């Protein structure tokens, strides 16, 4: 099953970034993902993000690195 990158939009600068989390769609739907800390690579803000804040982006196979910007 395809893995997805979980992207969030920074609360401070409103720019999207890669949370670094990877999972398939089923795991995402079943998971709770309550309150994870992520640091924005653009402005350095460290904030908590919940499941509703994530956007799934298809992570290209065989390629690591940011999938959200
Ligand atoms: Zn930011």
């Amino acid at each position: 099953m395809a893995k997805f990158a979980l992207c969030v939009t920074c609360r401070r600068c409103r720019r999207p970034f890669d949370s670094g989390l990877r999972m398939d769609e089923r795991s995402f739907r079943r998971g709770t993902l309550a309150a994870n800390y992520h640091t924005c690579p653009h402005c350095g803000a460290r904030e908590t993000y919940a499941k509703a804040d994530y956007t799934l982006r298809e992570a290209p196979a065989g390629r690591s690195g940011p999938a959200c910007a």
Side-chain angles (χ1 to χ4, degrees):
M1 187 179 280
K3 287 269 182 183
F4 288 87
L6 273 60
C7 304
V8 290
T9 299
C10 176
R11 295 194 201 289
R12 192 187 292 178
C13 70
R14 296 279 160 205
R15 292 167 74 183
F17 66 92
D18 190 340
S19 70
L21 298 173
R22 296 286 184 274
M23 61 180 66
D24 61 52
E25 199 178 359
R26 187 190 295 175
S27 301
F28 179 75
R29 272 197 252 112
R30 286 182 176 176
T32 47
L33 288 170
N36 292 288
Y37 274 103
H38 298 296
T39 303
C40 173
H42 307 297
C43 71
R46 191 165 186 262
E47 303 278 354
T48 1
Y49 295 91
K51 188 173 182 176
D53 298 316
Y54 292 105
T55 307
L56 291 185
R57 288 279 177 84
E58 203 165 344
R63 212 198 75 187
S64 59
C68 304

